[in-house]
Each structure stands twice: as C-alpha cells, then as structure tokens.
Amino acid sequence: MKPRLSLKQSISLTYILLAIIVAGAFSLVSYISVEIIEEKVIDARLAMMADRLIDFPPGERMPDAPPDIQFLIDDAIPMELQQLPVGVHELMLGSRQVRLLLRDHDTHRYAVVQEVDELEHTERVIRLSLAVGFVFSILLAAVLGVLCARRMIAPVAALADAVGRNAGPTELPSLSAQDEIGVLSRAFAKRTYELQQFLQREQLFTGDVSHELRTPLTIMLGAAEVLAAQLSDHPAQLATAERIRRVAAETAQRVSALLLLARAPELQGAPRTILNTIVESEMERCQPLLYGKPVEFTLDLRASVSANVYPELAGIVIGNLLRNACQHTEQGHISVQLVAGQLVVEDTGTGLPQKVRERLFERFIHGDDRPAHEGAGLGLSIVKRVVDYCSWSLQLETPEAGGTRFVLSFPPASHS
C-alpha cells in the first residue's frame, strides 16, 4: 500500500501546486500576449506603411521610411523576394531577420521590409524573464509552504506530544482555542478524562475484590491444613482435605496475580523467577485431567530457564496453557518444551476451527463447542492479558500432524 503524505507535506505540496497553476497560467497568458502584439502591431504597421507607399505617385522620389523599415518597388525588390506570394513573411535576409509585407497594386509590386532583430531579442528577454519568474514562484511557494505548514502543524504536534506523554486532561494544549485545534484538544481531554476514570474504577474494583477475598481464602487454607493434619490416619478423607487445600492455595495465588494486574506495570520491578519449577508444578496439577486418557505428557527441560516476572503471573499463563491442552486432548501426546526465552506447549487434540482461532483470546470464547455452563471461557483471555502486561508474546500455531501448538516467547531474565 502506498504510504500517505503527512499533513505537513500535503500543505507544502498544495502551495507548490497552486504556484505552478497560477504562475503557469500567468506565463502562458503573457507569452500569448507577446505573440499577439508581435503579430498584430507589426503587421498593422507594415500595412500602414504599404498604404503610404502605394498612395505615393509612381516615378517620384521614394518617401522617407523609419530607420528600421525599407521601401522597395518592382525591380528594386530582390529576386528571391519577388518569388514569394503576396502577404506577410518572416525570413532571414542575408544576416538579418526581417518581416516582409508584399502587396500588388495595379501593375506594380510593393515590398515593405522591417528588421526584427531587436524585437526578437526583446522577445527572448521577455520569455527568459517569464521562465525565471515561474521558477522563482515555485521556489517561493515551496519555502512559504514549509513555513506555513510548520506553523499550522505546530499545535497538532504539541497536542500529539501531550497525548503521547499521557498528559492529564487539563494539561493538553490549545484547550481554550476557538478553532478546529481547540475542538480536537477538548475532545481529547474529555476522552482522556473518561478513560482515566474508567481505569481507576477498574483498578479499584479489582484491588478491592482481590483484597476482600484474601482473608477468607487464608482462613480456608489454614483450616484445610489443620484438617489434613488431623486426618493423617484416614487416607480417603485426607485426599479430600488435600484437594481443598490445593484449590485454596491456587485461588489465593490467582487473587495475588489479579492484585498485580491491577497495578501499573511500569511501577513494578518484577523479580527474577526460575520457570522450571513452575512448569513442573503446573504439570503435576494438570495430571488429574488426564486420568483415563491414553495421553503421554512429556517435558523437555534441558537447562534452568528464568525470566523477570512475578511467579503468580507466570503460573497463570503456564497453568492455563497446560490445562487447555489437557482438556482438549483425548489421545496421543502433550509435549512441553522449555528453553531460554521460549515455552512451547503442543498437543495432538482436535485443533481449533478458523472462526474460533480468530477470537480465541477474547473473553467467553471456548476452544470447542462446550456449553456455557462448562467453564466461563476466561482462561485464554486472562493469559493474553497477563502476556500483554508482561510485554511477552503468545502465538497459536497448527502442527502438520494436527492439534494445537502455543508458543510463549519472553525475554531472558537479567542478572542485575
């Protein structure tokens, strides 16, 4: 696609095009005027002189002619001129450029010759002046166009800079201006204020809800641990108590992650986190989802991999990707590969239709045709939010053998 011109370039180009049109029209009119003057005035003068010459009685002394005009009659006319038809001619006579009028009257032929060397020189000077004036007009238009464009664009550039710096609604320039820039600035100010209020309400809501949930979850977690300790001699009940403890711990972890997402990422310094243990822990948590399925769950882990991220956020991303693979794979294998800067989760499940792939990271979108009561469809949308929050990237691919492959890319952890 051909790139569009910037507003500054468009204004400058408009000035130049306008100068070309106006200066070109003026030069064309001037050139045509010079040609008409040359033809009409000189020819009229030659005709007047010819009338004067014809009215003079034959045989008498020739009338006096102006310095640049010569009168010729009959045999005095050179042979090459006598062969020309009656009328006006422009030709070279020796080394001189002349304009010739031939006229027949009675039995005589009359010729009026005017030298036009000086006139042609004047005409060339006029044409050169027109050309110089045309070029100068274009250059002047270009300079004026650039200067005017800078002045006209300056308020827009200042407004764009303020918006880019996330300036407050009252800090935007040109708010009091009554022109179009003022209207645009006030519209930006209103929109910025509305967005700030919305973000503030969302952050407060998320923070408040997460904070209020932490206390009951802590109580549930403590109670589950006490219950597990008391049921050490009852394996069946102990498994239930352990499951309650694990779910409470996971929920508390998710609440902590939501609290982190409610904060501005640039205000946080994420710690250096080893991802190996998080991957292994999340794979262990997903094992119950594969009970009774002929699925091989493998991990390719060659070295210690770390990233600058909070463990809670990394657990949300990795856990959701692994659970998604386990839930949608009925047979075959699920392979997890963790290397420096990348996590790959690949399965041999049924894959995803194209219409689902295009909206997979939206809220309430399932990867299959399950009814709405079987999951809220928020998992991958939360993953996408965390990935964007951490400035990571997540790609969905389709292996040649079928199934689904998620590729999570992240910058390696700094050792500072």
Side-chain angles (χ1 to χ4, degrees), residues 178 278 323:
Q178 300 303 315
I278 297 178
R323 279 193 296 274

Side-chain angles (χ1 to χ4, degrees), residues 10-58:
S10 299
I11 294 175
S12 301
L13 185 60
T14 301
Y15 269 81
I16 295 175
L17 291 177
L18 181 61
I20 291 176
I21 294 174
V22 174
F26 176 78
S27 300
L28 180 61
V29 170
S30 300
Y31 176 79
I32 295 175
S33 300
V34 170
E35 293 294 328
I36 292 176
I37 291 174
E38 177 185 10
E39 180 178 352
K40 299 298 181 182
V41 174
I42 295 179
D43 292 353
R45 188 184 184 196
L46 292 177
M48 182 183 66
M49 292 297 176
D51 292 339
R52 179 183 174 186
L53 181 60
I54 292 172
D55 291 341
F56 198 82

Side-chain angles (χ1 to χ4, degrees), residues 303-341:
S304 178
V305 178
S306 60
N308 291 112
V309 63
Y310 284 94
E312 297 90 340
L313 298 180
I316 283 183
V317 175
I318 297 173
N320 273 283
L321 292 179
L322 294 179
R323 279 193 296 274
N324 184 74
C326 292
Q327 290 173 350
H328 297 89
T329 303
E330 299 299 326
Q331 61 181 358
H333 71 271
I334 300 173
S335 62
V336 182
Q337 182 183 32
L338 180 63
V339 296

Side-chain angles (χ1 to χ4, degrees), residues 42 47 50 57 71 109 138 158 178 237 328 330-331 354 367 402 409:
I42 295 179
F71 293 150
R109 168 161 286 199
I138 302 304
Q178 300 303 315
Q237 290 85 355
H328 297 89
E330 299 299 326
Q331 61 181 358
Q354 183 63 32
S409 302

Side-chain angles (χ1 to χ4, degrees), residues 124-319:
R124 286 193 295 270
V125 171
I126 293 175
R127 291 174 181 173
L128 180 61
S129 300
L130 291 175
V132 172
F134 179 80
V135 174
F136 178 76
S137 299
I138 302 304
L139 296 178
L140 181 61
V143 173
L144 291 177
V146 171
L147 295 178
C148 292
R150 287 180 180 176
R151 183 173 181 179
M152 296 171 64
I153 297 302
V156 179
L159 181 59
D161 180 68
V163 173
R165 291 186 288 102
N166 291 324
T170 59
E171 299 174 356
L172 297 179
S174 304
L175 286 174
S176 60
Q178 300 303 315
D179 54 8
E180 290 81 359
I181 301 299
V183 174
L184 181 62
S185 181
R186 288 188 289 273
F188 269 115
K190 181 181 178 181
R191 187 61 174 171
T192 301
Y193 176 77
E194 293 175 350
L195 288 176
Q196 288 180 348
Q197 293 298 311
F198 172 78
L199 291 175
Q200 185 179 11
R201 288 194 301 269
E202 183 186 23
Q203 290 176 348
L204 290 175
F205 174 78
T206 305
D208 291 343
V209 172
S210 301
H211 184 271
E212 292 299 324
L213 288 176
R214 295 184 71 177
T215 300
L217 285 173
T218 302
I219 296 174
M220 291 173 58
L221 184 59
E225 291 175 351
V226 172
L227 184 61
Q230 294 176 351
L231 296 176
S232 57
D233 297 332
H234 301 78
Q237 290 85 355
L238 180 61
T240 302
E242 179 61 26
R243 182 177 180 183
I244 294 175
R245 186 202 64 80
R246 185 172 63 251
V247 172
E250 293 177 0
T251 306
Q253 183 184 31
R254 299 300 184 263
V255 169
S256 299
L258 290 176
L259 281 173
L260 292 173
L261 289 176
R263 305 172 188 170
E266 63 272 9
L267 301 180
Q268 304 188 54
R272 183 171 179 265
T273 301
I274 304 297
L275 299 182
N276 302 50
T277 55
I278 297 178
V279 173
E280 293 172 346
S281 176
E282 294 296 335
M283 288 183 65
E284 182 180 354
R285 292 178 179 178
C286 290
Q287 287 294 343
L289 298 174
L290 298 177
Y291 287 161
K293 295 181 180 181
V295 177
E296 183 182 8
F297 202 7
T298 61
L299 172 62
D300 182 3
L301 190 62
R302 304 174 185 176
S304 178
V305 178
S306 60
N308 291 112
V309 63
Y310 284 94
E312 297 90 340
L313 298 180
I316 283 183
V317 175
I318 297 173

Side-chain angles (χ1 to χ4, degrees), residues 21-130:
I21 294 174
V22 174
F26 176 78
S27 300
L28 180 61
V29 170
S30 300
Y31 176 79
I32 295 175
S33 300
V34 170
E35 293 294 328
I36 292 176
I37 291 174
E38 177 185 10
E39 180 178 352
K40 299 298 181 182
V41 174
I42 295 179
D43 292 353
R45 188 184 184 196
L46 292 177
M48 182 183 66
M49 292 297 176
D51 292 339
R52 179 183 174 186
L53 181 60
I54 292 172
D55 291 341
F56 198 82
E60 297 188 8
R61 183 175 175 273
M62 292 283 293
D64 295 330
D68 58 337
I69 293 181
Q70 182 181 8
F71 293 150
L72 300 173
I73 301 176
D74 293 335
D75 295 337
I77 302 174
M79 185 60 63
E80 64 269 21
L81 299 184
Q82 291 185 11
Q83 298 175 355
L84 296 175
V86 173
V88 179
H89 306 277
E90 187 168 340
L91 67 157
M92 295 296 297
L93 188 60
S95 60
R96 300 176 301 158
Q97 185 171 1
V98 298
R99 197 170 184 87
L100 169 67
L101 173 62
L102 290 175
R103 183 178 293 181
D104 291 337
H105 184 71
D106 293 337
T107 58
H108 302 283
R109 168 161 286 199
Y110 300 88
V112 180
V113 182
Q114 179 177 2
E115 296 184 7
V116 293
D117 289 336
E118 184 176 352
L119 182 61
E120 290 295 329
H121 175 71
T122 303
E123 186 178 348
R124 286 193 295 270
V125 171
I126 293 175
R127 291 174 181 173
L128 180 61
S129 300
L130 291 175

